[in-house]
Amino acid sequence: MNKNITVLSGDGIGPEIIAEAVKVLGRVGEKFGHSFAYTYVDIGGCSIDKYGVPITPEGMEKCLSADSVLLGAVGGPKWDIVPQSIRPEKALLAVRKELGLFANLRPTKLFPMLASASPLKESIVGNGIDLLIVRELTGGVYFGRHTTEEVDGETVATDIMSYSRHEIERIGRVAFETATKRRKKLASVDKANVLDTSRLWRSVMHSLAEEYPQVEYCDILVDNAAMQLVKNPGQFDVIVTENMFGDILSDEASMLTGSIGMMPSASLSSGTLGMYEPIHGSAPDIAGQDIANPLGTILSAAMMLRYSFDMAAEADAIESAVDTVLNRGFRTADIFTPDCEKVSCSAMGSLVAELI
C-alpha cells in the first residue's frame, strides 16, 4: 500500500519522538512492502513563531488531504504570553474539529516488566492493567461558549457545556463496538446527579445498551470512577465518557503504568482519517537532549496502522517489538531502574525498528 501521512512534529520533544516513530514506520514499510510518504507541517508554538498562528490554512488543508496524521506535542512556557486566541493548543482543537475527530481512544496497559514503576501496590496491579478510555473529543465545555465580562463591578467568567443526542450516540456506539472486540465490559462515566448533560448522556447510553446485550454495561459517577481507577483498575475494560472527564481520567489512568511516556492515543473520525499522538506534553525541559521516551509515539504509529490503514499484522509487529525491547531490559530515563540498561531516545527507536 501507498499511504500519505501528514506529520505534525510540533514543539519541545515533538521532533525527537516523531523521528523515532517515522524510523519504525520505515522499517515496517521495508518488511511488509508498503510505501509511506510524509508531509511535514508546523503546528503549535513553532508555527506561531513562523506565521503568527498555531496552524496555517495551508497546513490544515494538508491534514485534511492526508490518509492519516501523526502528531508529536505542542506548547511550552515560551508561548504562555501569547493571546488566548492563538495559543498553541488552539491548533489541536481546530484540527480535531476540521477533521471531525470525535472519538479519542486512549489505551492504558501496564507491561508486566514495568510493574515496579507503577505508583500502586503490587497487590493492586499484580493481575495486570489493560483498559481503554473512549473520550468524546469535539463537544462539551471545551467547545462551548466562553465569556469573561464585568457584572455589577465584578469580573465573571462563564463556560458553557452542551451535548446533543447525536454526539452522545455516535461516541457511545464506538465504545460499545470497541467493547465487543475486547472483554465485553463497558463503564459509562458521567455526573448525572448534578448535570443535565450527564442525564441526557445516561439516557442515550441506556438506549444503546439494549442494542448490545452481549456487553456488560454499567454507569459510574466521575468522582467514583477516579477513585476506582486507583483502588481497583483491573475491574475496567472499556470506559466511555465526555470530553472534560475523559481528559482528566485518561491522564490519571496513564500514571498507573508508571510513565506517561508509554501511552499512545488515537483520535478517529467517522471514516478512516485519524490523528495519532502520545498523550504526554512537549516536555521543553528535556527537549534536544535525546533522552525522551519515544515509545508512546511509536505505539501511536501502531494504532495508526491498525485503525486507519487496516494493517493489523504490521501493528502487531510494532507492539511485539516494543514488548521484546522492554523484556530485554532496555529503558529510557523515565522508566529506568538500576537493573536495566539506560538508552537514549534515538537508540530506543533503533532497537524497536531492528526487531520489526
Side-chain angles (χ1 to χ4, degrees):
M1 292 187 181
N2 300 314
K3 295 295 182 180
N4 296 309
I5 302 170
T6 292
V7 180
L8 310 173
S9 298
D11 307 313
I13 61 172
E16 300 170 63
I17 55 179
I18 283 291
E20 301 316 306
V22 169
K23 181 189 296 181
V24 171
L25 286 172
R27 182 69 166 179
V28 168
E30 293 173 4
K31 289 293 184 177
F32 290 86
H34 303 306
S35 175
F36 301 121
Y38 305 99
T39 300
Y40 287 81
V41 170
D42 290 313
I43 190 172
C46 62
S47 179
I48 293 171
D49 289 347
K50 286 185 181 180
Y51 308 111
V53 291
I55 187 168
T56 65
E58 295 79 12
M60 184 68 76
E61 183 57 38
K62 290 176 181 177
C63 292
L64 287 165
S65 62
D67 293 313
S68 189
V69 177
L70 185 63
L71 170 68
V74 300
K78 177 182 177 181
W79 301 282
D80 285 348
I81 60 173
V82 302
Q84 182 68 25
S85 60
I86 61 166
R87 289 288 298 271
E89 296 79 9
K90 290 289 185 180
L92 296 184
L93 298 179
V95 171
R96 290 169 184 169
K97 181 178 180 180
E98 291 299 316
L99 273 61
L101 305 177
F102 69 90
N104 182 233
L105 276 57
R106 290 193 174 188
T108 295
K109 182 176 181 180
L110 178 62
F111 290 83
M113 69 289 293
L114 298 180
S116 61
S118 175
L120 300 184
K121 296 178 180 177
E122 187 175 349
S123 59
I124 297 175
V125 301
N127 293 327
I129 300 172
D130 183 9
L131 63 91
L132 177 69
I133 295 179
V134 179
R135 169 190 170 193
E136 201 289 322
L137 203 58
T138 57
V141 70
Y142 291 176
F143 286 85
R145 185 170 59 90
H146 309 283
T147 61
T148 301
E149 55 190 343
E150 294 297 318
V151 178
D152 297 330
E154 184 177 14
T155 303
V156 177
T158 304
D159 301 291
I160 303 297
M161 174 189 285
S162 65
Y163 269 106
S164 64
R165 177 172 291 274
H166 89 273
E167 288 177 309
I168 301 169
E169 183 172 337
R170 68 180 180 179
I171 192 67
R173 200 170 294 281
V174 168
F176 273 106
E177 290 289 340
T178 302
T180 64
K181 299 171 185 176
R182 289 174 51 95
R183 301 194 303 277
K184 297 180 173 59
K185 293 177 61 179
L186 177 62
S188 176
V189 175
D190 60 40
K191 191 65 176 171
N193 58 338
V194 176
L195 302 175
D196 274 9
T197 51
S198 285
R199 284 187 277 274
L200 176 60
W201 181 283
R202 185 170 291 200
S203 173
V204 174
M205 292 299 296
H206 283 188
S207 296
L208 285 173
E210 295 178 2
E211 299 181 29
Y212 296 88
Q214 71 274 37
V215 175
E216 179 185 337
Y217 173 84
C218 71
D219 302 303
I220 183 170
L221 295 175
V222 62
D223 40 357
N224 187 28
M227 180 181 69
Q228 293 298 327
L229 277 171
V230 175
K231 182 180 179 181
N232 181 20
Q235 70 183 284
F236 294 111
D237 178 21
V238 179
I239 297 172
V240 62
T241 191
E242 63 88 49
N243 205 343
M244 182 171 66
F245 297 161
D247 190 4
I248 297 167
L249 292 178
S250 59
D251 278 359
E252 179 192 11
S254 72
M255 289 312 299
L256 303 179
T257 68
S259 174
I260 200 171
M262 295 292 301
M263 297 296 101
S265 76
S267 298
L268 308 178
S269 66
S270 56
T272 59
L273 179 59
M275 182 167 70
Y276 301 84
E277 60 180 302
I279 74 169
H280 58 69
S282 62
D285 56 319
I286 62 170
Q289 301 177 44
D290 195 24
I291 60 174
N293 186 344
L295 293 180
T297 315
I298 291 170
L299 291 170
S300 296
M303 293 186 78
M304 178 178 67
L305 297 180
R306 188 179 305 281
Y307 290 102
S308 283
F309 299 163
D310 196 25
M311 297 180 182
E314 293 86 336
D316 289 343
I318 292 178
E319 292 166 359
S320 176
V322 169
D323 192 73
T324 300
V325 167
L326 293 174
N327 270 320
R328 292 181 179 178
F330 296 104
R331 303 284 189 272
T332 45
D334 59 315
I335 53 175
F336 175 72
T337 56
D339 57 333
C340 296
E341 181 176 344
K342 186 184 293 185
V343 297
S344 66
C345 175
S346 56
M348 180 62 84
S350 296
L351 286 165
V352 174
E354 290 165 4
L355 287 167
I356 300 295

